[in-house]
Amino acid sequence: MKNFIKEFKEFSVKGNMIDLAVGIIIGSVFGKVVSSLVSDVIMPPIGLLLGKVDFSNLYINLSGRSYPSLAEAQKAGAATINYGLFINTIIGFVVTAFAVFLIIKMMNRWRAKKAVADAPVTKSCEYCTSKIPMGARRCPQCTADLV
């Protein structure tokens, strides 16, 4: 049992586990921010442009009775197809996917810069093993032609 606890401690405090936990926490908060962005910032102007439509209140009532809003229909227990909320969710997905795309693109750019900075600037001559610049075609020490 003591060995099991020791293994679990090593596993749980590894850098990857902590990075994963931080990623999950930030991801959940990011989801809330995107939801608010869509419902509170993006959808109201779109609804206004489309004739003062509130997307979150668009639904198809399957019960046959009339209700003034989706909240009232749900409160009464009516069966509804909430296509307005689905539209909000799709737009939220697109915004999230675009934000993740921009983050990945930025990270790839940083990695490319780091790879260039970490690239070796010299190589060894295959004939005399002296250090020469990467772009050299002839070794300055032994004058051998380099491929």
Side-chain angles (χ1 to χ4, degrees):
M1 183 69 174
K2 198 173 191 179
N3 194 24
F4 176 78
I5 293 172
K6 181 181 175 187
E7 284 182 48
F8 180 74
K9 273 185 182 178
E10 289 175 10
F11 169 76
S12 63
V13 296
K14 280 185 179 178
N16 292 343
M17 282 294 287
I18 293 170
D19 291 345
L20 179 63
V22 169
I24 289 171
I25 292 167
I26 289 175
S28 68
V29 173
F30 184 70
K32 291 177 184 177
V33 169
V34 168
S35 294
S36 175
L37 175 70
V38 169
S39 63
D40 302 330
V41 177
I42 294 175
M43 293 311 288
I46 291 174
L48 185 65
L49 289 174
L50 296 175
K52 298 184 180 180
V53 176
D54 180 11
F55 281 89
S56 63
N57 212 17
L58 295 177
Y59 67 100
I60 297 172
N61 185 358
L62 300 176
S63 70
R65 295 182 57 198
S66 179
Y67 298 99
S69 69
L70 175 61
E72 291 293 321
Q74 289 176 334
K75 187 177 179 181
T80 59
I81 297 175
N82 308 326
Y83 67 92
L85 294 174
F86 181 70
I87 291 170
N88 282 351
T89 303
I90 294 297
I91 291 173
F93 170 76
V94 170
V95 169
T96 303
F98 184 69
V100 170
F101 167 74
L102 291 178
I103 290 169
I104 298 294
K105 188 172 181 172
M106 182 175 53
M107 288 176 62
N108 286 342
R109 192 176 308 140
W110 287 345
R111 284 186 186 149
K113 285 180 182 177
K114 187 177 182 322
V116 169
D118 292 345
V121 292
T122 61
K123 61 183 177 180
S124 294
C125 173
E126 56 191 77
Y127 300 103
C128 68
T129 67
S130 62
K131 297 259 184 221
I132 56 174
M134 285 298 288
R137 290 191 213 163
R138 183 179 292 264
C139 177
Q141 304 300 319
C142 67
T143 67
D145 285 329
L146 305 172
V147 179

